[in-house]
Amino acid sequence: MRTLRFRSSAFLAFTLTVAAMGGPRHGSAALSQSPSAQDQSDVWWKHAVIYEIYPRSFQDSNGDGIGDLNGITSRLDHLKDLGVDMIWLSPIYPSPQVDFGYDISDYEAIDPQYGTMADFDRLLDEAKKRNIRICMDMVMNHTSDKHRWFIESASSRTNPKRDWYIWRDGKSPGQPPNNWLSTFGHSAWQYDPKTKQYYYHYFYIQQPDLNWRNPEVQKAMFGAVRFWLDKGVAGFRLDAVPTLFEDPSLKDEEVQPGTNKFGDPNESTSLQENLPEVHNVMRDLRKLIDSYPGNRVLIGETYLPNVQELYKWYGDDRHDELQLPMDMQVGFINKLDVAEFRKKITDAETKIGDNQPLFVFDNHDNPRLDYRYGDGKHNTEIERMLAAILFGSRATALMYYGDEIGMTTTIPTRVEDVKDPIGKTGWPKEKGRDGERTPMQWDTSKNAGFTTSDHPWLPVPPDYKTINVAVEKPKSDSLLSWYKRLIALRREVPALHSGKEMMLNTNDNHVLSWLRQTEGHPPVLIACNFTANPQTVSFNLAQDGVTGKHPSTLLKSPGARDPASLDKIQLPPFGVYIGEVK
Ligand code: NOJ
């Protein structure tokens, strides 16, 4: 058994333990079509593979040890080859980099560490040539404390921008306004000796929260959104968007038993996040992006307690808020529990009306897949299986850089090496997020081909000699080849591209299986063995109206056999079978 870290909506750290550890391809045409010209029922983002790049860690082009925009541009062919439709770029705006870009000091420029606006324009152009869209990370909850808005706001109590942030008097001398906590540890209130008031920050002290009750804030932030829309970006990933509003009563949060990783009392967060007012802003934002041609998309970082809450972020069946709020229910189950996966996938299929689910299994805030799902012995097989669930589902797929080669979580072993500030505040219970942000592993050369510098900003994991793009690319049985094949099947096979999804053998506790079906084409059967033992499964699909009886293999795990019939599909440990039923 080992202890894992996972963050929920509030990035509330909690621990849990798990057992030891050709076809209907969309493309350039969609890039230029306006909403009215394009059939919304089959809009591009419903089938997209979205790839998150953490720019500091992807590719360094100037030898300073930090990834940059020209580095990303130089690696676009890898993404094209993989089958990526859109890149989500974690923030590249000017920033003091306290939270590595999530503390923005100018929303309409590029941080010189990452390049210039001309570099960005070139990236956009080169990506477009490859039919790859670019999605920006939009951090609307807070700015950096070095943003001119905050500098002005902090300058005096009467400054016109004072109310752009959340300033309050203390409860009594030396006492913050209430007991609210920052999700990154300790009080969410920071005292400013100059104006003798506290400001609110849900994240780091250097990330003051904007006051979204002030209409000027929305106007200014939407100005930044327009700036990037005018440049031609395809959409936005909205950072921490459930935290936009706070309860104006400023009542104390409810104190619960025990303490968190930072030694603070456990508390509810219901007054600090997911307030209903946020939906008005989402509707306005949706109107704004819909006023641009090309079916731009809004993706939400929506860690929510359940799928019913998620449904609201679509604007229920009005479809007037986000097109793709992230479903964090499926990908962060963090244990290989068939019943749980089946339930959460079924929820995504049945409880969000006719909206489109977006599945996410990994990102820059959580330990990678090996850490959360691996058993130490079959990690690659397990990662194949998770990829089959991600790309074999009807949901839009969001993946994290390095997953395609099986990059591993590499957590710092000494506090003095930690770069992510929460790892310093929370050490040793919270070691921060460096482990999932290590440099992309391209080849066997120095620093895995990430940088020529002797000092990459985070160390390259020692496994880079075997886990890298160059080694895996030519091997037909590598994880990289598996990813490519899965993504290609999702494009080429009509049932996998747009077929409805139905769970099969719903009492089976070992094998997760489902059917994808679309009219006029053979249905596709997918079966994943969630256990370390071989399993044999049989399917009676006649009861589901399937007339075909013969499985015809599209993809199977190494070691799996081509089955002779639906009565006997054999799966090796953590094996996957994908076949058309003819
Ligand atoms: C969510 C981002 O994913 C995370 O990396 C960041 O620290 C917080 N939001 C604050 O912006």
Side-chain angles (χ1 to χ4, degrees):
M1 306 286 274
R2 64 181 178 171
T3 304
L4 300 185
R5 172 164 61 77
F6 170 67
R7 280 180 201 88
S8 76
S9 56
F11 285 85
L12 266 184
F14 64 90
T15 55
L16 70 161
T17 46
V18 291
M21 291 244 119
R25 191 178 190 289
H26 74 267
S28 52
L31 280 171
S32 55
Q33 284 178 344
S34 69
S36 53
Q38 189 167 331
D39 177 4
Q40 290 283 315
S41 65
D42 200 33
V43 66
W44 67 273
W45 43 259
K46 289 194 177 170
H47 311 288
V49 172
I50 308 170
Y51 186 97
E52 180 191 354
I53 290 185
Y54 198 67
R56 288 183 87 73
S57 301
F58 199 60
Q59 177 66 60
D60 174 19
S61 73
N62 62 358
D64 63 359
I66 296 171
D68 47 45
L69 293 176
N70 287 339
I72 297 172
T73 306
S74 73
R75 294 296 189 179
L76 284 173
D77 286 336
H78 167 69
L79 304 181
K80 170 83 189 152
D81 205 31
L82 186 59
V84 168
D85 299 296
M86 178 160 77
I87 297 168
W88 148 29
L89 281 181
S90 285
I92 50 168
Y93 318 98
S95 160
Q97 305 288 339
V98 173
D99 194 13
F100 300 113
Y102 285 95
D103 47 325
I104 299 171
S105 52
D106 181 351
Y107 285 80
E108 298 179 16
I110 303 290
D111 192 301
Q113 282 195 340
Y114 298 136
T116 62
M117 195 56 88
D119 296 336
F120 177 82
D121 291 340
R122 200 166 68 85
L123 169 61
L124 203 59
D125 277 0
E126 289 298 319
K128 192 170 178 181
K129 283 184 197 157
R130 294 163 178 83
N131 288 332
I132 298 176
R133 294 171 165 85
I134 302 286
C135 167
M136 302 298 278
D137 211 318
M138 192 43 69
V139 185
M140 307 199 305
N141 177 66
H142 48 269
T143 67
S144 159
D145 61 347
K146 300 292 182 296
H147 195 293
R148 65 183 165 78
W149 301 340
F150 186 74
I151 294 173
E152 284 179 43
S153 181
S155 65
S156 83
R157 287 196 186 200
T158 54
N159 183 277
K161 291 210 170 48
R162 184 66 170 181
D163 186 50
W164 282 39
Y165 294 83
I166 301 168
W167 292 96
R168 293 290 182 277
D169 291 332
K171 214 185 239 170
S172 52
Q175 288 298 311
N178 61 25
N179 72 349
W180 293 4
L181 293 173
S182 157
T183 194
F184 286 164
H186 312 323
S187 174
W189 296 98
Q190 178 68 14
Y191 186 65
D192 168 44
K194 185 170 170 209
T195 58
K196 300 193 173 43
Q197 279 193 312
Y198 289 82
Y199 68 84
Y200 175 71
H201 59 94
Y202 189 70
F203 296 95
Y204 291 123
I205 290 169
Q206 298 87 344
Q207 292 169 304
D209 270 50
L210 285 158
N211 174 18
W212 277 84
R213 296 185 190 278
N214 182 329
E216 294 285 306
V217 166
Q218 175 162 331
K219 214 168 134 203
M221 196 58 83
F222 281 22
V225 168
R226 278 181 201 282
F227 176 87
W228 295 101
L229 287 171
D230 288 339
K231 280 205 159 282
V233 304
F236 300 92
R237 174 264 187 188
L238 306 175
D239 181 72
V241 69
T243 61
L244 237 49
F245 285 86
E246 298 74 32
D247 191 305
S249 74
L250 294 195
K251 282 190 299 213
D252 276 354
E253 288 282 9
E254 187 187 296
V255 179
Q256 295 156 349
T259 52
N260 66 19
K261 289 185 172 182
F262 302 103
D264 304 316
N266 285 328
E267 282 182 8
S268 64
T269 54
S270 56
L271 304 172
Q272 293 171 269
E273 61 175 343
N274 218 9
L275 269 77
E277 292 90 322
V278 70
H279 295 287
N280 300 331
V281 177
M282 294 304 102
R283 277 190 286 275
D284 288 348
L285 186 56
R286 177 64 182 275
K287 275 188 210 129
L288 171 57
I289 71 145
D290 279 354
S291 70
Y292 280 77
N295 286 324
R296 318 284 173 108
V297 68
L298 293 174
I299 298 173
E301 191 204 13
T302 38
Y303 288 94
L304 298 165
N306 55 51
V307 71
Q308 287 78 11
E309 280 299 315
L310 186 66
Y311 184 40
K312 295 183 188 162
W313 284 83
Y314 290 96
D316 303 337
D317 273 347
R318 296 183 311 277
H319 313 293
D320 58 356
E321 298 191 30
L322 314 189
Q323 295 97 328
L324 295 175
M326 293 180 195
D327 179 321
M328 301 297 202
Q329 306 288 317
V330 175
F332 292 92
I333 290 174
N334 293 345
K335 54 182 180 211
L336 293 177
D337 179 328
V338 174
E340 193 70 3
F341 267 85
R342 188 179 292 127
K343 181 184 177 312
K344 296 278 166 76
I345 295 171
T346 306
D347 279 356
E349 281 299 309
T350 56
K351 295 191 176 157
I352 56 167
D354 62 349
N355 290 296
Q356 172 69 11
L358 169 61
F359 286 175
V360 188
F361 278 74
D362 205 4
N363 61 27
H364 64 285
D365 291 325
N366 289 281
R368 284 182 178 271
L369 299 173
D370 64 307
Y371 193 91
R372 288 180 290 118
Y373 290 102
D375 68 352
K377 190 172 164 209
H378 303 92
N379 286 10
T380 306
E381 288 76 8
I382 291 170
E383 285 161 17
R384 281 182 208 278
M385 200 173 80
L386 297 171
I389 300 172
L390 179 63
F391 300 116
S393 295
R394 191 181 63 84
T396 299
L398 171 46
M399 61 175 289
Y400 185 46
Y401 84 91
D403 281 347
E404 71 274 33
I405 51 171
M407 273 177 61
T408 52
T409 314
T410 311
I411 297 170
T413 51
R414 308 180 316 166
V415 65
E416 53 270 37
D417 297 332
V418 172
K419 297 283 193 304
D420 183 16
I422 53 167
K424 292 179 188 147
T425 325
W427 190 273
K429 287 189 178 157
E430 168 60 77
K431 294 184 176 171
R433 298 164 290 179
D434 295 353
E436 53 265 26
R437 297 172 175 180
T438 57
M440 177 68 179
Q441 297 167 200
W442 295 105
D443 55 39
T444 55
S445 70
K446 176 179 168 180
N447 290 321
F450 163 68
T451 180
T452 53
S453 163
D454 290 335
H455 305 286
W457 84 280
L458 281 176
V460 174
D463 57 21
Y464 82 91
K465 291 273 181 194
T466 50
I467 299 179
N468 67 62
V469 174
V471 162
E472 293 186 36
K473 200 172 166 174
K475 289 190 188 156
S476 61
D477 63 350
S478 67
L479 187 62
L480 178 56
S481 298
W482 179 263
Y483 263 73
K484 272 192 218 170
R485 190 75 195 112
L486 275 173
I487 295 173
L489 287 174
R490 185 182 160 95
R491 286 172 185 276
E492 291 158 12
V493 178
L496 286 174
H497 178 261
S498 43
K500 61 181 189 260
E501 181 164 344
M502 186 177 61
M503 289 289 148
L504 299 171
N505 293 5
T506 51
N507 291 323
D508 189 328
N509 284 328
H510 302 301
V511 176
L512 181 75
S513 51
W514 66 100
L515 196 69
R516 301 285 311 277
Q517 265 179 306
T518 192
E519 234 179 274
H521 298 279
V524 173
L525 169 74
I526 304 177
C528 296
N529 176 3
F530 269 52
T531 75
N533 301 314
Q535 301 287 343
T536 303
V537 269
S538 69
F539 295 96
N540 174 3
L541 299 179
Q543 63 192 17
D544 300 312
V546 175
T547 48
K549 290 197 169 37
H550 305 289
S552 160
T553 304
L554 292 169
L555 185 64
K556 57 184 177 12
S557 290
R561 296 204 204 119
D562 285 324
S565 81
L566 289 172
D567 293 336
K568 206 174 173 198
I569 296 187
Q570 292 174 312
L571 297 165
F574 302 106
V576 175
Y577 178 77
I578 305 179
E580 286 180 313
V581 184
K582 289 184 167 162

